[in-house]
Amino acid sequence: MPGTENGGAAYWSFDSRQLLMNRTGSIFKVDLNSSSQQQLPIAAGFSSWGTEGIVHSAQGGLQWLRPDGSGLRWIKERNDKDASVYFFPTLIPGGRWLIYNAVKAGGANNTAGGGVAVHLLSLDGKTDRQLFTAEHSALYVEPGYLLYLRGDALMAQAIDPKGGKLRGDPTPIASSIAHDPAAAGPGAFSASANGVLTFLRGGAIAEDRLVWFDRSGKSLGTAGGVADYTNPALSPDGNRVAVAIRDPSTAKRDIWILDLGRDAASRFTFDPADDFNPA
């Protein structure tokens, strides 16, 4: 699609005719037929587009605006006293409620070590009710469910769209859903208003290899074994590489040094924090 270069996350409109796209730090509305675009007066972030308008998670809280960019207002501003972050809001059709998720601020990844508080919020911001606590963020989907992960199982919790009350107990509907165990995001799934559910299977820990390529793109072999690698950094002399490896038992990373000549690895960091991005 012309004009979507350097685009990040994209979010569907309720009628599937347009997209909201993160691009160059801003949100653009993109028409799928004409490819015409409009920059909206909000910064890049998760957005949900319903028939009544758009709800958006900003650094300062939750905002609402009309699809033409007018009527921007705060629904819920962050409370610095409890240092919570509000994100992944989804609108419930009918114009009264939305679902949002809150976690204690935990750095760039908004880690969910203390759990995610799933809230029901009225669009006027006057009614705010915590529904339950989950391991990962919950999203509202038609015709009246909250979807969220419990471990790697996708759970469906029925909810009354008009009254906002939960109905019955949550039910597992899929397993082995790919996700980041150290982050509060919802995981790799999405549902359409017509009842179609899509998801990506995969363990919480990736199975990667470090592969050498020459300048023409030809593969020259591998370095190290299979692991969940991130952010490799070669030493100045090219004989070693520092790389973050995630521990499956803790979902946290440590820095390891790989000796490329001897094909040997040694652990470099040992503290319980998430250590990554070596230089």
Side-chain angles (χ1 to χ4, degrees):
M1 294 181 60
T4 60
E5 297 82 4
N6 300 317
Y11 317 110
W12 287 102
S13 63
F14 67 95
D15 58 7
S16 300
R17 296 179 179 179
Q18 300 182 78
L19 292 175
L20 296 176
M21 177 168 286
N22 291 352
R23 189 164 61 85
T24 62
S26 300
I27 292 285
F28 286 79
K29 183 177 64 174
V30 183
D31 187 279
L32 295 179
N33 291 320
S34 65
S35 295
S36 62
Q37 299 189 27
Q38 176 191 353
Q39 183 175 351
L40 298 179
I42 50 179
F46 185 91
S47 303
S48 175
W49 188 343
T51 55
E52 299 81 12
I54 298 169
V55 62
H56 173 72
S57 58
Q59 185 175 4
L62 303 175
Q63 295 176 297
W64 185 93
L65 71 159
R66 298 186 183 93
D68 62 5
S70 64
L72 180 65
R73 63 179 174 85
W74 289 101
I75 303 175
K76 184 176 180 63
E77 294 189 74
R78 283 188 60 184
N79 182 350
D80 292 333
K81 292 183 179 180
D82 66 10
S84 290
V85 178
Y86 313 132
F87 58 128
F88 295 109
T90 43
L91 289 164
I92 297 179
R96 184 181 181 187
W97 303 109
L98 65 90
I99 296 295
Y100 77 92
N101 301 271
V103 296
K104 298 294 183 181
N109 290 329
N110 288 323
T111 52
V116 178
V118 181
H119 284 251
L120 178 78
L121 177 66
S122 60
L123 285 182
D124 59 12
K126 295 181 180 179
T127 302
D128 188 344
R129 187 166 73 244
Q130 181 174 330
L131 299 177
F132 56 89
T133 300
E135 299 172 24
H136 295 271
S137 296
L139 304 179
Y140 176 83
V141 302
E142 288 282 65
Y145 292 93
L146 301 179
L147 298 186
Y148 61 95
L149 290 182
R150 179 181 292 171
D152 64 358
L154 183 60
M155 309 298 293
Q157 169 64 63
I159 185 172
D160 176 12
K162 294 182 178 180
K165 294 183 178 181
L166 302 180
R167 300 187 296 193
D169 296 323
T171 302
I173 57 175
S175 60
S176 301
I177 305 300
H179 66 286
D180 183 346
F189 66 87
S190 182
S192 177
N194 64 4
V196 174
L197 171 70
T198 63
F199 54 87
L200 176 66
R201 291 194 186 276
I205 303 299
E207 295 182 347
D208 302 324
R209 277 194 178 276
L210 299 176
V211 183
W212 280 108
F213 293 89
D214 66 14
R215 294 184 182 276
S216 69
K218 179 183 176 181
S219 175
L220 301 177
T222 62
V226 175
D228 190 342
Y229 295 109
T230 53
N231 317 113
L234 280 168
S235 62
D237 61 10
N239 294 325
R240 293 177 296 169
V241 61
V243 64
I245 299 180
R246 195 185 304 275
D247 184 341
S249 64
T250 64
K252 298 295 179 67
R253 289 166 289 187
D254 277 292
I255 306 300
W256 288 68
I257 305 295
L258 305 184
D259 187 314
L260 300 176
R262 297 188 299 114
D263 195 23
S266 60
R267 185 173 172 179
F268 185 71
T269 63
F270 293 86
D271 66 287
D274 193 23
D275 298 325
F276 56 99
N277 272 337

